[in-house]
Amino acid sequence: MELKETSNKVAELVYSGASIDLSNELALFIEEQQEPATKSTEPVSRPEKVGRWIKDDISGNYVKNPEFDSEDDNWSEVEFITPGSEDVYRIVLIGESVARCTHFPHEYCAARVVEKMLSESIPGRKIEVVDLAKEGMRFEQLMEVISESVLLNPDMVIVFAGNNWQPGSSLGTPYNFNMLQKTVGTSGQTQFIKDTLRDSLKSNVNDFKELLTGINAEYNIPVLYVMPEFNLGGFKPARKEYVSHFLPGNKMKIWSEAYDSCLHAEASGGWEEVKKLAGQMMDMDTEHPFAYEMMAKYFEHIGDLRQRREFLEQLKDKALINAIGTSAPRRFTVIRELVNDILKESPVTVVDLQEVLKKHSHEGIPGNELFLDYCHLNFRGIHLAMGALASQIASILGVNIDAASMSAIESPVSERVLSITHFQAAIHNYYVGQDTPLLYHHCCEALKHADDELVEAYHKSCILFSKRSSAVFSDELHFLSEVYPFENFSVFGHPRNKKLMFIELVDAMTKALQVVKKIEIADEIKNIRIQEYKIGKEPVDLLESPYAERSFQEFLCDEDVAYYRAHETRSSFICVADASENIELDVTARIPDFAFCDINSAVKVYVNGDLYETVRVCDEWTNIKISIKREVLGAGVNKLEFVWPVPEKQVMRKLYKTLSLPGEIINMIYYTFAEMFAIRAVTS
Amino acid sequence: MNILGISAFYHDSACCLLQDGVLINAIQEERLTRIKNDSSLPKKAYRWCLEQAHLSPSDIDCIAYYEDPVKKFARQLWSKNQNIRLDNLADFDPKNVEYSIREQLGYEGKIVFVDHHMSHAASSYFFSGFEDAGILTVDGVGEWATTTYGRAEGKKIDLFEEVHFPNSLGLLYSTITAYLGFEVNEGEYKVMGLAPYGTPHYASQVRKLVTMEDKGQYSLNMEYFDFMKGKRMYSEKLVDLIGVPVRERNASLDTCHMDIAKSLQVVLEEILIEKVTYLYNEVESENLCLAGGVALNCVANGKVLKNTPFKNMFVQPASNDSGGALGAACQAHVQITGERPAQSRIHQIYTGPSFSNDQISVVLGDFTKEALNYTTNEENLLDEVATRLKDGKVIGWFQGKMEFGPRALGNRSILADPRNPDMRDIINSMVKKREGFRPFAPAVIKEKCSEYFELDHESPFMLETCQVKPGMDMPAITHVDGSARVQTVSLESNPRFYKLLSKFETYSGVPILLNTSFNVKGEPIVCSVEDALLCFINTEIDCLVLGGYIFDRNEETVRRIKKILGEKFSTVQQRNVNSDVYTFA
């Protein structure tokens, strides 16, 4: 057969769905088409580099490598690193953003804090700690930098990492992709994903151990690993992580009823009922965070702190598959288990921050008293963690100083730095989908440490955030550019053409200004919002920027598909009105499993918490017109909520195997209650 | 009848809406994602097209896709695409295109697949206004075809002959583009612009790369090409044949490089003239329609019209793959309705987003006070802009609906005085930040065109070159060989731009402006107000005109903003990812 004919035949066969049963002849054809792999025999010469620094042959120092200029903000600002000297004990500290002390100024970092502790507590010895930490250091780069770090002739290697060990890419292999597809809709779906991710993590941790023990053996130097901890008490899953999964039969219906009942039981103080319902929900959907959150609340209520911690840990770990690759970084429990298991027989010394911080935490559960966000430590948290590390280092050097004494050696920062640190934490927590209480906490802390100029800066930030125009063109930004440290200035940035409304963040600061400083800006903010975002005669789509987003990681119609998918029974949107006119909504939506919903089921539309209308939507795109009377609208931000019907039963959804990214693959297991193409709003 | 045309998954993905046979809107995905040559399924463009027409997916009668995925897959198999293996065959499943459309666009209705070159052919013929025509499509590769010959009459297009991969004039051009150190799929324009500086000393070597055959056929001498292996375009044998080392990217451009470019251009023109003459002899028409990436070679287009028997020519302004979306939609319209779409010739291609003065003001925010406000006085606005142009200022001109296709035609343009001898260097280096040899095109009032250029017909899409008439001193738009790539502007097609040209004539005596696309090297043409402002700040453009607002460059303001931008303030969209988002991890 002619090659072209054969190619055409194979293409037709694959198109017809016969790809898995290709005849031997055709399979051979495809294999024959492949060129034999050739390996390069030329030796690869590697530049002598360590992280973002590269060896300067003239001075012998490691100087900044221009290739890494785009990562400049992520590394230490040190211009060059010397090759080391005989009379100085050199420690290299490699790590992620926690080691860089994110939210603090560059010069305040784990390396400097621990260096000061060691220098002051062991006065007779010259000790330096080389800072090789980088914000956003992924596992692969971490391994690279660890390998490279020996070029600096260290006397000790410390690795402080584990928050960025996301194993999601392992799901992208063809084998796992196919397996994943086979499990979708079965009881084994989440177990397969978790097993695959665990296998991938296990492989990584084994490689990590091999590398560390190899360095220990080859260079005969001590190697320490600092295992990070998570803000269990203060950080909640982002809203995007509250997703329902495919549940066979009528389980989704039962689960949803239990959800409503559980909320009701909590509100009425029926804690035993909460426990019962949460348990049932967990049995049905092992990965939905809600049940774990309720269980943790129950055990908090009855004072069982061990059990509370257990469920908070599980709540944290739901991000492993619920927001894969996009969740706030964290050290998953499975990583700790693997590290403890794999490293226990190795010469690597482990400093486990879970153990270190437990005794300094409120009721043994670390929270906002130690953290600024999910994993980045605050001033106290850094000193406690580094105190434990410094004590361990001292012990290796033959000096016994306990962690508490080490922690007491402070690297002080100014009130201004503390204030800005909390303000940035507030912004960052907003970006990663945290609710008002945490934002308010940091806004209050920022104001408590603020001088008058910073108070004014925060006030102007609220105006800047509330305006619709790109921040670059706002007068407030230029004021801020004069008073705010430039190295932290990027917090005011945003993607092009995508300014957010920052509602919860600005509301939190508005309240904090009123409570802490007795400054009233609520009316000013409300007026700006009405002026800038009010629905008018020109239609706007509430699914589009700037109405849709509440953080840069939660654009509604920006990623995998051209429409919004509701993975929860409720979808909330906001619209801004001056309440002088009615608002006409033109909604395009569909309910994929409408055929399995009750014949009388309808979509409930709530305006500002009150049921306003019920509308019918079917499994095809349906255009619905809703007229919202001005009487039910408030001047300012109004909340629209769509409550979708829950199907009586679920069947396997139609799958299109076109997705390639792990996040997209995981999306396939989320249940979709409804899809929306547009919510056009206009005044009548 | 609402038909959406889509091109995707190679480069220049795009979406358009054809309503009852009339083109309503069209946009390339790159303009919205800000990823140059974005090839992904045009999700944003799709949303935009529907939103602008107040339609939902259920209002679409058909989605027309510009390629046949099965044939394309067959060609990929045949050409030993090294990415295809038995264990990942599913990734190349031709059904994936349909699945993507269903899944990612939320569309359940009819999908029509139109062959790649039929899409190109339809995109040209149906917008040409011709009752009949001969059609030539030439590009790198579609499914199997790389060149097709067709005849069209009424609503019917018959592509009666094809040249098949790997024999491809597009790939020949791209190979030499790579040889000369430019990026494939990006640098072909540069080679065309470089050619007039050279002499065709290497024409005999280039001719050896192609064997001319009977009828419309030709073949590449594959010993000189290596693109089948997917690693590089040319083989070592080509290096031996040419006898000049391959130019490294960003290395200096020497005479030999210019000569190679010229040789390629000459040979391409020879081949096209021969094959178009063949086409003429096969079809009974005086009209020629061109499409496909090679039809963007405006130098060759002019030679083809001049040196073949065809009397009239139409070139699709979006001749690259983005235009395939238009052609696919037109062909689907014929299939479904039995009627011909787009009865008359298209005279303008302003089919993209526009922004009212109120919308501009909202985006500008506090920056509005830095502007001169002429929103209610167009006459004064044009006076002010024309005066600045006459005084040698470089203007960023952002008006009305954005153009579709690779050319800026007066709505997302950088404008300047064509008489200024330094202007080309100024704009190339300080504004566009690109190679100094690259020429700029003139926009001229349609009625005055023949006074300045050897051109006797309209050229509204800047797709033909012609000679500048002797004695006309316009160094900024006159190429080294005395040619220019002319855009004729009519009052009907673009009233404000036409009036600006008239006003400039009042002040300067010349109804011509240098017109180049409003972007910098490596970025798509600006689409939104924010895009335009950031481009203005990051270049040396003297003055930005956004609708009715004029911003004169205030160095203090620009310095202040640049300082902020320089401090890692997120603004510029990176390729493929939203990595300008502030983030920690």
Side-chain angles (χ1 to χ4, degrees):
Chain A
M1 202 186 301
E2 284 291 318
L3 269 182
K4 275 191 182 178
E5 272 180 61
T6 311
S7 301
N8 282 324
K9 189 175 171 188
V10 173
E12 290 286 353
L13 271 171
V14 172
Y15 183 67
S16 70
S19 57
I20 52 171
D21 296 319
L22 284 174
S23 69
N24 288 339
E25 182 193 350
L26 297 178
L28 194 62
F29 169 77
I30 293 169
E31 281 189 340
E32 281 176 350
Q33 292 297 80
Q34 303 307 304
E35 302 275 341
T38 54
K39 277 190 177 175
S40 171
T41 51
E42 290 178 22
V44 181
S45 67
R46 290 174 178 273
E48 288 191 70
K49 63 176 269 296
V50 181
R52 74 99 65 233
W53 295 270
I54 191 163
K55 189 171 184 182
D56 174 33
D57 288 335
I58 298 168
S59 66
N61 291 332
Y62 286 80
V63 299
K64 283 188 173 180
N65 182 351
E67 280 183 27
F68 285 72
D69 280 355
S70 63
E71 295 182 355
D72 210 26
D73 274 0
N74 299 348
W75 296 87
S76 155
E77 287 180 329
V78 169
E79 287 296 330
F80 66 90
I81 303 168
T82 66
S85 65
E86 291 288 321
D87 60 337
V88 177
Y89 190 86
R90 168 170 277 192
I91 300 169
V92 293
L93 196 158
I94 306 139
E96 303 161 338
S97 55
V98 182
R100 282 236 46 76
C101 296
T102 281
H103 303 305
F104 283 89
H106 266 284
E107 64 272 16
Y108 186 82
C109 59
R112 293 287 76 73
V113 172
V114 79
E115 184 180 73
K116 186 163 191 278
M117 288 173 176
L118 292 169
S119 298
E120 291 192 12
S121 60
I122 314 175
R125 194 147 193 186
K126 285 184 186 171
I127 297 174
E128 71 164 338
V129 182
V130 179
D131 182 6
L132 296 179
K134 182 207 164 196
E135 270 174 11
M137 178 102 81
R138 297 282 167 205
F139 181 78
E140 295 74 17
Q141 190 176 26
L142 178 78
M143 296 288 278
E144 197 177 297
V145 178
I146 293 169
S147 302
E148 294 164 353
S149 68
V150 296
L151 292 172
L152 297 177
N153 303 312
D155 300 298
M156 179 185 289
V157 171
I158 299 171
V159 182
F160 185 3
N163 284 309
N164 294 345
W165 295 1
Q166 306 282 4
S169 59
S170 60
L171 290 163
T173 65
Y175 172 79
N176 285 337
F177 188 95
N178 288 332
M179 287 301 294
L180 187 60
Q181 281 224 303
K182 285 178 185 165
T183 62
V184 170
T186 71
S187 56
Q189 61 180 18
T190 52
Q191 197 55 48
F192 171 75
I193 294 169
K194 285 196 282 192
D195 288 348
T196 307
L197 298 178
R198 187 186 169 89
D199 287 349
S200 174
L201 280 170
K202 189 174 180 181
S203 168
N204 284 352
V205 175
N206 269 319
D207 292 346
F208 182 65
K209 176 201 146 192
E210 290 301 316
L211 180 60
L212 297 192
T213 52
I215 288 174
N216 167 264
E218 187 174 346
Y219 297 93
N220 195 27
I221 55 175
V223 179
L224 281 80
Y225 171 59
V226 184
M227 185 155 47
E229 171 61 317
F230 186 77
N231 180 0
L232 282 177
F235 196 81
K236 282 184 65 177
R239 262 161 279 190
K240 67 184 172 184
E241 293 171 51
Y242 287 86
V243 287
S244 297
H245 304 84
F246 181 88
L247 301 178
N250 65 348
K251 283 186 177 173
M252 178 59 77
K253 187 81 177 170
I254 299 169
W255 191 95
S256 295
E257 286 166 1
Y259 176 93
D260 290 338
S261 300
C262 200
L263 282 176
H264 184 262
E266 183 198 12
S268 58
W271 286 104
E272 289 305 319
E273 185 70 2
V274 167
K275 183 193 176 198
K276 187 181 109 189
L277 290 164
Q280 288 172 359
M281 293 165 78
M282 256 184 264
D283 288 343
M284 283 183 277
D285 186 347
T286 57
E287 299 308 311
H288 198 294
F290 177 77
Y292 297 86
E293 186 181 345
M294 298 309 284
M295 227 27 147
K297 282 185 180 178
Y298 167 78
F299 285 112
E300 181 182 17
H301 176 76
I302 66 166
D304 185 339
L305 300 176
R306 189 189 63 77
Q307 286 277 31
R308 182 186 172 221
R309 176 166 191 131
E310 173 64 26
F311 281 99
L312 287 174
E313 289 274 2
Q314 292 191 55
L315 180 64
K316 170 201 72 182
D317 290 335
K318 295 302 133 189
L320 189 63
I321 67 167
N322 280 348
I324 201 155
T326 61
S327 63
R330 63 197 64 192
R331 190 269 298 142
F332 291 107
T333 303
V334 63
I335 292 174
R336 183 166 184 267
E337 291 167 1
L338 287 167
V339 165
N340 284 337
D341 185 39
I342 293 171
L343 290 188
K344 71 181 174 195
E345 300 298 330
S346 79
V348 178
T349 305
V350 177
V351 178
D352 183 356
L353 291 191
Q354 177 168 320
E355 294 301 324
V356 172
L357 297 179
K358 190 187 278 181
K359 44 185 173 281
H360 301 285
S361 307
H362 177 60
E363 297 182 330
I365 295 171
N368 296 331
E369 72 281 0
L370 296 171
F371 287 91
L372 290 168
D373 53 32
Y374 37 91
C375 70
H376 300 116
L377 295 157
N378 66 14
F379 183 77
R380 181 165 173 253
I382 291 166
H383 277 84
L384 290 170
M386 291 305 101
L389 173 62
S391 172
Q392 193 69 53
I393 297 168
S395 164
I396 291 169
L397 296 177
V399 181
N400 285 323
I401 304 171
D402 64 25
S405 304
M406 284 289 194
S407 300
I409 302 170
E410 284 200 348
S411 299
V413 293
S414 68
E415 285 291 292
R416 198 177 170 87
V417 163
L418 282 176
S419 176
I420 289 174
T421 299
H422 280 288
F423 181 58
Q424 291 187 169
I427 296 171
H428 189 59
N429 280 306
Y430 171 75
Y431 287 153
V432 292
Q434 294 303 289
D435 284 333
T436 303
L438 184 58
L439 309 181
Y440 178 67
H441 162 76
H442 285 295
C443 288
C444 288
E445 290 298 312
L447 288 167
K448 282 178 194 166
H449 296 288
D451 54 33
D452 288 348
E453 193 175 54
L454 280 181
V455 172
E456 178 65 5
Y458 299 153
H459 175 191
K460 288 207 183 293
S461 300
C462 289
I463 298 171
L464 173 82
F465 288 143
S466 299
K467 284 183 173 177
R468 188 166 180 174
S469 65
S470 169
V472 181
F473 307 113
S474 298
D475 286 347
E476 288 74 23
L477 192 72
H478 299 293
F479 169 83
L480 290 164
S481 72
E482 300 300 323
V483 303
Y484 208 81
F486 260 106
E487 67 180 68
N488 299 325
F489 205 66
S490 62
V491 295
F492 298 108
H494 56 85
R496 188 186 294 192
N497 301 318
K498 289 198 186 309
K499 181 74 161 35
L500 304 181
M501 289 177 73
F502 293 93
I503 289 172
E504 289 93 339
L505 177 65
V506 171
D507 286 351
M509 182 53 88
T510 300
K511 186 178 165 194
L513 278 165
Q514 193 248 330
V515 171
V516 179
K517 295 291 181 183
K518 311 296 179 212
I519 295 171
E520 296 286 349
I521 64 166
D523 286 346
E524 182 184 14
I525 295 298
K526 185 172 84 174
N527 291 336
I528 292 171
R529 285 173 177 165
I530 290 173
Q531 185 182 324
E532 303 267 331
Y533 298 100
K534 183 182 74 169
I535 305 296
K537 298 294 179 196
E538 286 293 318
V540 295
D541 191 342
L542 301 185
L543 290 180
E544 295 280 353
S545 180
Y547 300 95
E549 296 85 23
R550 61 174 316 282
S551 92
F552 295 138
Q553 293 160 0
E554 289 186 76
F555 292 112
L556 294 181
C557 291
D558 211 25
E559 298 300 332
D560 303 337
V561 294
Y563 49 91
Y564 162 75
R565 278 176 166 163
H567 293 307
E568 293 181 82
T569 54
R570 292 164 185 265
S571 299
S572 295
F573 305 95
I574 52 108
C575 72
V576 179
D578 65 2
S580 67
E581 294 172 284
N582 298 343
I583 290 179
E584 309 298 329
L585 297 181
D586 187 353
V587 180
T588 304
R590 67 181 180 184
I591 296 172
D593 282 345
F594 180 74
F596 303 109
C597 292
D598 182 275
I599 190 108
N600 296 315
S601 63
V603 180
K604 293 175 182 165
V605 183
Y606 290 79
V607 178
N608 293 326
D610 295 324
L611 180 63
Y612 184 77
E613 197 168 325
T614 56
V615 292
R616 300 273 294 174
V617 176
C618 69
D619 55 354
E620 294 184 349
W621 290 114
T622 312
N623 291 327
I624 315 150
K625 297 202 183 300
I626 303 166
S627 180
I628 302 177
K629 303 294 179 200
R630 65 182 183 184
E631 293 79 12
V632 301
L633 294 166
V637 176
N638 292 270
K639 185 177 173 187
L640 290 176
E641 196 169 33
F642 294 80
V643 180
W644 309 105
V646 180
E648 299 294 313
K649 65 171 183 175
Q650 290 184 15
V651 294
M652 178 87 93
R653 55 183 280 225
K654 194 192 302 185
L655 290 173
Y656 296 115
K657 198 169 53 176
T658 62
L659 309 172
S660 56
L661 298 174
E664 295 172 334
I665 299 167
I666 294 299
N667 264 336
M668 292 178 0
I669 66 164
Y670 298 158
Y671 183 70
T672 301
F673 290 92
E675 291 164 346
M676 304 181 89
F677 187 78
I679 311 174
R680 295 189 185 99
V682 67
T683 53
S684 57
Chain B
M1 175 63 63
N2 295 312
I3 298 176
L4 275 175
I6 284 179
S7 61
F9 301 127
Y10 187 43
H11 49 81
D12 302 320
S13 72
C15 185
C16 72
L17 172 64
L18 200 67
Q19 204 162 50
D20 297 325
V22 177
L23 182 65
I24 300 299
N25 51 44
I27 186 168
Q28 285 168 255
E29 185 75 352
E30 65 161 23
R31 306 295 167 88
L32 298 172
T33 62
R34 310 307 302 159
I35 298 167
K36 181 89 170 161
N37 303 126
D38 194 344
S39 62
S40 60
L41 190 69
K43 296 187 282 287
K44 286 177 182 291
Y46 168 80
R47 277 187 71 78
W48 181 83
C49 285
L50 290 185
E51 279 175 15
Q52 290 301 302
H54 298 290
L55 299 176
S56 74
S58 58
D59 298 315
I60 306 169
D61 296 291
C62 171
I63 283 183
Y65 185 74
Y66 84 130
E67 209 162 57
D68 182 330
V70 182
K71 291 180 188 169
K72 180 177 176 178
F73 180 51
R75 189 256 300 159
Q76 288 174 322
L77 278 172
W78 178 85
S79 59
K80 301 186 178 184
N81 183 319
Q82 293 302 298
N83 295 320
I84 302 175
R85 301 184 308 273
L86 270 179
D87 63 348
N88 70 353
L89 209 52
D91 294 348
F92 290 85
D93 189 334
K95 290 193 290 297
N96 288 351
V97 173
E98 178 184 344
Y99 291 167
S100 296
I101 290 170
R102 302 268 184 235
E103 178 88 359
Q104 296 178 37
L105 304 185
Y107 175 72
E108 295 294 341
K110 182 184 179 73
I111 299 174
V112 168
F113 294 99
V114 179
D115 278 3
H116 187 95
H117 278 261
M118 178 57 88
S119 297
H120 277 318
S123 77
S124 185
Y125 172 65
F126 287 125
F127 292 102
S128 70
F130 295 144
E131 290 295 315
D132 56 71
I135 303 174
L136 176 72
T137 66
V138 195
D139 69 2
V141 62
E143 294 91 1
W144 286 104
T146 65
T147 302
T148 67
Y149 302 87
R151 63 172 67 83
E153 186 174 355
K155 65 188 179 193
K156 189 167 184 306
I157 296 174
D158 171 27
L159 297 183
F160 59 83
E161 187 176 346
E162 294 182 346
V163 178
H164 278 192
F165 181 83
N167 304 308
S168 163
L169 293 180
L171 293 174
L172 165 69
Y173 211 94
S174 294
T175 300
I176 302 296
T177 298
Y179 196 99
L180 291 174
F182 299 114
E183 293 170 59
V184 172
N185 279 330
E186 178 72 20
E188 285 80 359
Y189 293 122
K190 301 176 190 175
V191 175
M192 185 178 75
L194 189 64
Y197 291 94
T199 48
H201 292 317
Y202 298 90
S204 61
Q205 287 98 316
V206 176
R207 285 190 193 99
K208 286 185 181 167
L209 305 182
V210 188
T211 303
M212 299 304 284
E213 297 175 357
D214 285 349
K215 298 186 172 182
Q217 298 301 303
Y218 59 84
S219 59
L220 295 187
N221 297 325
M222 292 306 294
E223 59 188 347
Y224 298 114
F225 299 90
D226 211 17
F227 55 76
M228 292 283 278
K229 289 181 186 162
K231 298 262 169 66
R232 64 175 185 176
M233 297 298 289
Y234 49 83
S235 70
E236 284 303 321
K237 229 178 153 180
L238 181 62
V239 182
D240 294 340
L241 176 71
I242 300 282
V244 172
V246 172
R247 177 178 170 258
E248 295 292 323
R249 195 159 291 171
N250 300 322
S252 66
L253 276 165
D254 301 329
T255 307
C256 61
H257 302 126
M258 297 166 189
D259 293 345
I260 294 168
K262 179 67 176 179
S263 304
L264 173 67
Q265 185 68 28
V266 164
V267 173
L268 176 76
E269 289 163 9
E270 288 170 3
I271 297 170
L272 286 176
I273 288 167
E274 181 180 326
K275 294 304 180 189
V276 170
T277 303
Y278 158 73
L279 174 67
Y280 179 82
N281 292 328
E282 292 294 310
V283 298
E284 295 173 0
S285 178
E286 303 287 290
N287 307 316
L288 172 64
C289 288
L290 295 178
V294 176
L296 288 171
N297 192 311
C298 51
V299 180
N301 295 346
K303 299 274 174 61
V304 163
L305 184 61
K306 196 171 175 183
N307 295 289
T308 66
F310 282 108
K311 297 281 189 294
N312 309 298
M313 182 173 75
F314 178 79
V315 185
Q316 163 56 234
S319 272
N320 58 3
D321 280 359
S322 65
L326 272 58
C330 287
Q331 194 61 14
H333 179 89
V334 175
Q335 282 182 26
I336 294 168
T337 68
E339 303 287 331
R340 174 179 174 156
Q343 300 289 342
S344 56
R345 175 174 284 219
I346 192 169
H347 288 284
Q348 51 91 357
I349 195 81
Y350 306 107
T351 59
S354 67
F355 299 86
S356 67
N357 282 320
D358 285 347
Q359 288 171 314
I360 290 170
S361 173
V362 166
V363 177
L364 292 176
D366 297 322
F367 210 51
T368 311
K369 62 177 179 286
E370 305 254 348
L372 302 169
N373 186 336
Y374 292 99
T375 54
T376 57
N377 194 333
E378 185 185 52
E379 188 67 18
N380 285 3
L381 174 85
L382 298 174
D383 265 327
E384 293 286 339
V385 178
T387 304
R388 284 164 175 75
L389 285 162
K390 183 204 65 173
D391 292 340
K393 303 292 186 194
V394 178
I395 307 287
W397 180 250
F398 182 100
Q399 302 289 336
K401 290 185 173 182
M402 185 178 67
E403 302 86 342
F404 183 63
R407 302 273 184 258
L409 299 168
N411 280 0
R412 299 289 186 279
S413 290
I414 293 171
L415 306 175
D417 186 342
R419 301 166 303 161
N420 187 334
D422 299 325
M423 196 54 83
R424 190 179 72 179
D425 290 342
I426 290 170
I427 298 180
N428 267 334
S429 65
M430 298 172 76
V431 179
K432 302 278 283 188
K433 302 182 181 192
R434 66 182 200 182
E435 299 84 354
F437 67 85
R438 296 181 65 183
F440 289 108
V444 57
I445 287 178
K446 183 179 84 171
E447 295 81 1
K448 304 281 179 77
C449 176
S450 58
E451 294 176 26
Y452 296 87
F453 302 100
E454 301 285 359
L455 188 69
D456 59 2
H457 54 272
E458 264 193 285
S459 174
F461 303 124
M462 214 185 267
L463 285 166
E464 281 180 67
T465 54
C466 60
Q467 290 302 113
V468 179
K469 285 197 166 175
M472 298 299 166
D473 187 20
M474 291 181 291
I477 54 89
T478 307
H479 209 3
V480 64
D481 59 352
S483 69
R485 180 162 48 94
V486 174
Q487 178 201 358
T488 56
V489 181
S490 67
L491 184 61
E492 302 76 38
S493 64
N494 194 335
R496 181 167 276 190
F497 192 35
Y498 182 93
K499 288 177 197 168
L500 178 64
L501 286 160
S502 301
K503 194 64 85 176
F504 184 68
E505 183 183 23
T506 305
Y507 287 106
S508 69
V510 179
I512 300 168
L513 285 170
L514 178 157
N515 176 15
T516 186
S517 56
F518 194 165
N519 64 333
V520 291
K521 185 180 173 185
E523 271 212 62
I525 296 174
V526 301
C527 175
S528 71
V529 178
E530 198 172 335
D531 298 336
L533 278 161
L534 291 169
C535 189
F536 171 60
I537 286 160
N538 286 315
T539 60
E540 304 294 319
I541 294 172
D542 298 307
C543 170
L544 174 63
V545 187
L546 287 168
Y549 294 99
I550 296 179
F551 294 87
D552 287 309
R553 192 173 196 82
N554 175 332
E555 285 306 333
E556 175 54 28
T557 303
V558 169
R559 184 199 59 75
R560 209 172 55 196
I561 292 175
K562 272 189 165 174
K563 186 179 172 196
I564 291 167
L565 295 173
E567 293 297 332
K568 306 295 185 289
F569 190 90
S570 66
T571 50
V572 179
Q573 194 87 352
Q574 303 295 311
R575 285 178 81 90
N576 297 316
V577 283
N578 251 355
S579 58
D580 51 357
V581 179
Y582 144 85
T583 183
F584 298 121

